[in-house]
Amino acid sequence: MASRTEEFDMRFAGLDQWSDADFLMALWEGQMRAVASLGPVLTDLATAANGIAGRLGGGGRLVYVGAGTSGTVAWQDAKELGGTFGWPEDMTIVMLAGGLQSEPGVFNSAEDDTKAAEDEITRHCIGEGDAVIAVAASGSTPYTLYAVELARKRGAYTVGLCNNPDGKLLTAAACGIFLDSAPEVIAGSTRMGAGTAQKAAINILSSLVMNKLGRLFDNLMVGMRAENIKLHGRAIRITSHIAGCDAQKAESALEKAQFDIRIAVLIAKGHEAAKAKEILAMFNGNLRAALEYKD
């Protein structure tokens, strides 16, 4: 029996002959269903975030695993954590079937390569200090499934996201989350509904994790890296807002802090740069906790 993501939904029979308006409406509705699938699993995502933050807060690494579209979605989230939250790249591992630079032909066939998954888990020494987020629309992709099984045996905290209620990934992972994105409008094209559900789920999951690690203050990205003109301006505005100072003082503090917003806020509040770094380190980078610290 085909997995749910492979089912033919006969509501869309004749789709290739529909008007542009009806064609697009069908796809749009499919996307809305995909995003709506997160509602029933928000509690599960919170559970996953707590488990992941527990490992990362103790010095563990965040590992993303996937193949095909699912792997690409995971990779996209992984590579944005540094710029958005200042999460260190050396604390992030991406296991994408076929490799990050794989050609299209290799990209698809590599999802069956369990030996490659084993080699990656072993090479990176994935273990009990780490957290793994694995994504597979079917929930049965050999590369992804084997990686999760092996990582869990080695003590890592594992989260599995899939779009099939019978997906083996749901039980292979310590925290399995079913995203009920429904059969695809274009049958089997998981780059559509399933991919959208996965993207939304991983985005909110990793954002909650980063918040638990103190990389937000209110709704502001205090851990972000100010690596261009636009972000320099944002860093100044964030520092000014939190420290309650003018833009000139905020910019001066940022320069002393090498544009680390959290340190800059402490400097603007009256601390010397070295002391600001020391205080922030005491609270594992959590600015709110650092601001409450009294000498």
Side-chain angles (χ1 to χ4, degrees):
M1 182 178 177
S3 67
R4 191 165 189 193
T5 52
E6 293 293 329
E7 290 178 8
F8 297 167
D9 191 334
M10 297 314 296
R11 288 179 300 160
F12 306 110
L15 179 69
D16 62 313
Q17 300 178 69
W18 289 12
S19 68
D20 291 352
D22 288 342
F23 189 100
L24 292 173
M25 180 63 76
L27 293 179
W28 174 72
E29 289 178 352
Q31 294 290 291
M32 294 304 101
R33 285 199 307 272
V35 174
S37 71
L38 273 64
V41 297
L42 292 178
T43 299
D44 295 329
L45 288 167
T47 298
N50 278 293
I52 294 169
R55 300 301 173 97
L56 271 52
R61 298 164 296 175
L62 181 57
V63 184
Y64 291 80
V65 181
T69 294
S70 300
T72 303
V73 166
W75 181 22
Q76 181 180 0
D77 192 69
K79 68 182 182 178
E80 291 176 347
L81 292 183
T84 305
F85 300 106
W87 181 251
E89 273 76 12
D90 62 357
M91 299 300 287
T92 305
I93 297 169
V94 180
M95 290 178 52
L96 178 62
L100 301 183
Q101 305 299 325
S102 58
E103 298 294 328
V106 175
F107 190 65
N108 289 326
S109 61
E111 71 173 48
D112 296 329
D113 193 346
T114 56
K115 180 62 166 59
E118 181 178 7
D119 289 346
E120 286 292 285
I121 291 288
T122 302
R123 181 170 71 86
H124 290 294
C125 299
I126 306 302
E128 61 184 16
D130 303 315
V132 176
I133 300 174
V135 196
S138 67
S140 60
T141 305
Y143 176 91
T144 306
L145 189 60
Y146 192 70
V148 167
E149 291 172 342
L150 186 55
R152 189 174 182 183
K153 285 180 182 177
R154 293 168 66 109
Y157 179 73
T158 53
V159 177
L161 301 172
C162 85
N163 306 77
N164 176 20
D166 299 321
K168 294 179 181 178
L169 186 60
L170 295 176
T171 52
C175 180
I177 302 175
F178 167 49
L179 302 173
D180 191 4
S181 54
E184 300 287 352
V185 176
I186 300 176
S189 181
T190 52
R191 59 179 286 274
M192 303 294 290
T196 295
Q198 292 167 3
K199 175 71 165 60
I202 292 180
N203 277 176
I204 67 175
L205 173 58
S206 63
S207 295
L208 181 55
V209 169
M210 291 297 125
N211 182 54
K212 288 181 175 296
L213 295 176
R215 292 174 182 269
L216 289 176
F217 186 97
D218 291 338
N219 63 333
L220 303 174
M221 296 185 290
V222 292
M224 76 164 203
R225 295 176 186 155
E227 297 173 326
N228 58 40
I229 293 173
K230 177 189 73 175
L231 297 180
H232 272 223
R234 183 185 298 167
I236 291 170
R237 291 191 298 275
I238 291 174
T239 302
S240 176
H241 174 78
I242 297 174
C245 65
D246 61 29
Q248 184 176 2
K249 184 175 181 179
E251 186 170 14
S252 175
L254 281 162
E255 289 171 354
K256 293 175 183 176
Q258 297 180 310
F259 268 80
D260 184 311
I261 294 170
R262 293 164 295 176
I263 294 174
V265 168
L266 294 172
I267 292 173
K269 286 284 193 179
H271 294 287
E272 294 296 325
K275 184 62 175 178
K277 292 179 182 178
E278 180 185 325
I279 294 171
L280 191 65
M282 287 172 57
F283 296 97
N284 295 319
N286 188 313
L287 178 59
R288 189 174 294 279
L291 284 171
E292 294 172 355
Y293 173 72
K294 304 295 182 184
D295 288 312

